[in-house]
Amino acid sequence: MKKIMNTSLALSFALLLSACGMPSSEELTGDVKEAQEKVKNVQVKVTGKEEGSSDYQVNGVQEFDFKSKAGYINTKMNGEELKMYHDGDETLAVAGEESTKVQGEEKKYVTALINNARELQQNPIRYYQKYDKNLPDEFDVTEKDKEYVLTFNGDKDKKQKIVAGDAKAYYKITNQGSDTAVDLDQVKGKDFSLVVTIDKETKQIKKVVKNQSYSVNVDGKTENSNSKQTYTYTYNQLDNVTKPKVEAKAAAASTDSSTETPNKEKQAAYAKEAGQYVDALIQATVYQNTDQFVAKHPNQQDKKQVKEKGEFQKSSFVEFFETNFKGALSSLSSNITDEQLNEVSSAFLKALSSTKYTIKDAAYSDEDDAYVVQVEIQGFNDASVLAEVMTPLAEKYQAGELSNEQLVNKLIDGVAKRYREPVELLPAKTVPVHVVRNGEQDYEVLMQDEYLLTFAQQS
């Protein structure tokens, strides 16, 4: 799921105008996002309980370095210990007394689990926003000594959507090579709760308590799952991520099989398709052109399905922009009408329409376990464009010359007008976009911000 760019200057502007006292959900989650992005590494203590086809207690430790992308998971379930490790060079697994350097499909499985856990632990709020774009605005905020506590207050439908989406993502990974595959279409979310404790001073996440329940269909049989997990965080204290020791004999045996080596010709063909998909996705999002999404998409057999996906990407892009723009204005958001939001998003798309890009290269990366597409982009300085409008308005507002309603009206009119005027394109910049393969001729960009933030640059 994608995350459309936040208007960073608009957020700063809104914080300047906000009343003192308890921060809103949008303000606090925005501060948390910034704080978590500055974290270099984290160690997470995990405790919990799982109830389902089998019941067990969970205890463990997870470690992640966000620069090198090295990850380590140590999980103890009813006394049985499993260790997994992945970095750019090696992928390791240790179960009981057996240790191995894993290859092929098992490597993809371990890598996917660690990458998913790393994304979750870097910022759980952002992670679950994949399934509910309005999540940052859906927390009750309370205060306790030196902490803020965020409690998710979404309705039943949203809770079920979040837990179903998260469960499907998990089973999509564990289905690989499994003899008892879960039917993803039959995953049904039941309930979900999320409580996030924030350090007042650093705005970093101190603890997360998550409860979720859902049902799955395994080989025609419905199974229910209930879980409670608690994560406790320690930041920037790791010299290195823990790396399990692997017996030389086991490592040699696991690397001896030539059948595990990926087919280079297929990888090259998939990389080309990944490049085509990024090309198509940019057309659907940045340029709002679903016809070009269909024309450039690697799947030319089922154009009806491809067009439906293109329409979804097109509308989601606008929805995310409007949600984030409104959320960034925080205490002023209640004064903004849908018509005004539509006016701003329409003008923003006009500014984007003048940008340029070229797909330069695409190749498979063992380090990232993904296809990396190099995109050359000529974007514009969005922060500078917004500053032209917002700076003088902020001064007038602080001087008491504008009411909230007047400020919003002038802000919307000014931003929309400026977006519709010519924007100066910046020098071309090449950025990597990470893509995963979701099936035959089906791909997904892990983070759309990898290219979006170069089309509309925030600094």
Side-chain angles (χ1 to χ4, degrees):
M1 203 67 175
K2 35 284 121 211
K3 177 174 68 69
I4 307 304
M5 74 284 287
N6 284 313
T7 314
S8 60
L9 189 63
L11 176 58
S12 300
F13 179 76
L15 292 176
L16 175 67
L17 305 180
S18 300
C20 297
M22 187 78 71
S24 68
S25 176
E26 307 100 305
E27 292 170 348
L28 192 51
T29 54
D31 289 342
V32 168
K33 177 179 178 293
E34 291 183 8
Q36 296 298 122
E37 287 176 348
K38 296 176 182 177
V39 170
K40 296 179 181 178
N41 58 66
V42 65
Q43 184 179 72
V44 188
K45 179 182 178 183
V46 182
T47 60
K49 182 179 181 181
E50 304 283 339
E51 298 177 345
S53 56
S54 58
D55 299 342
Y56 52 87
Q57 299 287 332
V58 177
N59 293 280
V61 173
Q62 299 180 2
E63 297 177 0
F64 302 100
D65 185 299
F66 298 114
K67 182 176 181 180
S68 68
K69 298 186 179 180
Y72 168 72
I73 297 177
N74 183 326
T75 304
K76 296 178 181 178
M77 297 179 290
N78 287 349
E80 295 186 7
E81 187 175 26
L82 172 65
K83 302 176 183 178
M84 295 183 291
Y85 173 88
H86 173 70
D87 62 19
D89 299 318
E90 294 181 292
T91 304
L92 312 173
V94 181
E97 297 180 357
E98 296 184 9
S99 58
T100 181
K101 182 177 180 180
V102 296
Q103 302 290 332
E105 291 301 316
E106 188 177 1
K107 177 181 177 179
K108 292 182 180 180
Y109 167 75
V110 172
T111 301
L113 283 177
I114 290 178
N115 287 346
N116 190 68
R118 182 178 67 240
E119 182 188 357
L120 168 65
Q121 303 301 6
Q122 186 167 22
N123 185 346
I125 296 172
R126 185 180 68 180
Y127 176 87
Y128 289 112
Q129 192 181 0
K130 295 187 296 185
Y131 311 112
D132 176 8
K133 65 179 183 292
N134 296 319
L135 187 78
D137 188 30
E138 296 172 339
F139 288 96
D140 293 325
V141 182
T142 56
E143 194 173 8
K144 181 180 178 183
D145 298 327
K146 298 181 179 181
E147 300 169 342
Y148 291 118
V149 179
L150 291 170
T151 304
F152 181 61
N153 62 16
D155 60 25
K156 181 178 179 181
D157 289 341
K158 291 188 175 183
K159 291 178 179 180
Q160 291 178 345
K161 183 179 179 181
I162 290 172
V163 71
D166 189 37
K168 288 179 181 179
Y170 171 75
Y171 286 115
K172 192 170 186 177
I173 296 171
T174 61
N175 273 355
Q176 299 178 42
S178 174
D179 294 329
T180 57
V182 170
D183 184 349
L184 298 183
D185 291 333
Q186 296 300 315
V187 176
K188 305 295 182 183
K190 292 186 175 181
D191 199 10
F192 175 81
S193 68
L194 184 68
V195 180
V196 184
T197 302
I198 310 296
D199 184 280
K200 273 188 180 180
E201 182 178 354
T202 66
K203 300 301 188 292
Q204 292 175 339
I205 296 173
K206 294 179 64 176
K207 185 172 75 172
V208 169
V209 179
K210 177 191 71 172
N211 292 271
Q212 63 182 37
S213 60
Y214 57 88
S215 65
V216 297
N217 188 292
V218 182
D219 294 337
K221 180 181 178 181
T222 299
E223 296 181 359
N224 295 305
S225 175
N226 300 281
S227 70
K228 177 178 181 179
Q229 291 191 334
T230 299
Y231 306 126
T232 307
Y233 298 83
T234 302
Y235 298 104
N236 301 329
Q237 298 298 310
L238 298 174
D239 292 327
N240 294 288
V241 171
T242 300
K243 185 175 181 179
K245 293 182 178 180
V246 177
E247 297 296 332
K249 182 178 180 181
S254 67
T255 58
D256 189 42
S257 173
S258 60
T259 60
E260 300 289 358
T261 304
N263 185 302
K264 292 184 178 180
E265 290 184 3
K266 283 189 176 181
Q267 292 286 27
Y270 296 155
K272 181 180 179 181
E273 290 183 349
Q276 292 170 340
Y277 177 74
V278 172
D279 197 357
L281 186 61
I282 289 173
Q283 287 292 324
T285 54
V286 176
Y287 300 109
Q288 297 285 285
N289 192 327
T290 53
D291 289 338
Q292 282 298 304
F293 179 85
V294 174
K296 292 176 177 289
H297 198 283
N299 182 357
Q300 292 294 305
Q301 280 70 51
D302 191 349
K303 291 190 176 184
K304 180 180 179 181
Q305 183 184 47
V306 170
K307 186 170 184 178
E308 290 175 355
K309 291 183 178 181
E311 293 290 352
F312 173 78
Q313 294 289 352
K314 176 181 177 179
S315 60
S316 294
F317 180 88
V318 176
E319 289 175 8
F320 271 80
F321 173 82
E322 292 180 351
T323 298
N324 287 331
F325 187 89
K326 186 175 182 179
L329 294 181
S330 188
S331 59
L332 300 175
S333 62
S334 60
N335 298 94
I336 302 175
T337 66
D338 289 341
E339 290 76 14
Q340 288 175 318
L341 274 180
N342 291 337
E343 176 66 15
V344 172
S345 61
S346 176
F348 178 67
L349 292 173
K350 173 68 168 59
L352 282 177
S353 69
S354 65
T355 60
K356 302 175 182 179
Y357 77 100
T358 304
I359 305 297
K360 302 295 289 185
D361 187 33
Y364 179 76
S365 168
D366 286 316
E367 179 179 355
D368 299 312
D369 193 32
Y371 296 93
V372 181
V373 180
Q374 301 293 335
V375 187
E376 184 183 84
I377 301 170
Q378 274 192 279
F380 68 95
N381 192 328
D382 189 35
S384 177
V385 168
L386 291 169
E388 295 177 24
V389 178
M390 292 182 173
T391 301
L393 288 178
E395 292 173 355
K396 289 184 177 181
Y397 183 82
Q398 290 295 314
E401 298 176 15
L402 297 174
S403 67
N404 283 1
E405 184 177 357
Q406 289 173 326
L407 174 64
V408 167
N409 291 337
K410 288 183 176 295
L411 174 64
I412 297 297
D413 291 344
V415 169
K417 179 182 178 182
R418 182 61 189 89
Y419 274 146
R420 293 189 184 281
E421 295 172 352
V423 293
E424 180 181 355
L425 295 187
L426 300 171
K429 181 180 179 181
T430 300
V431 296
V433 179
H434 292 74
V435 185
V436 294
R437 191 166 181 264
N438 282 339
E440 199 66 29
Q441 297 181 318
D442 190 14
Y443 295 83
E444 180 179 353
V445 169
L446 295 176
M447 286 188 64
Q448 289 191 14
D449 274 6
E450 287 184 324
Y451 67 84
L452 290 175
L453 289 175
T454 307
F455 278 101
Q457 297 182 27
Q458 302 300 299
S459 62

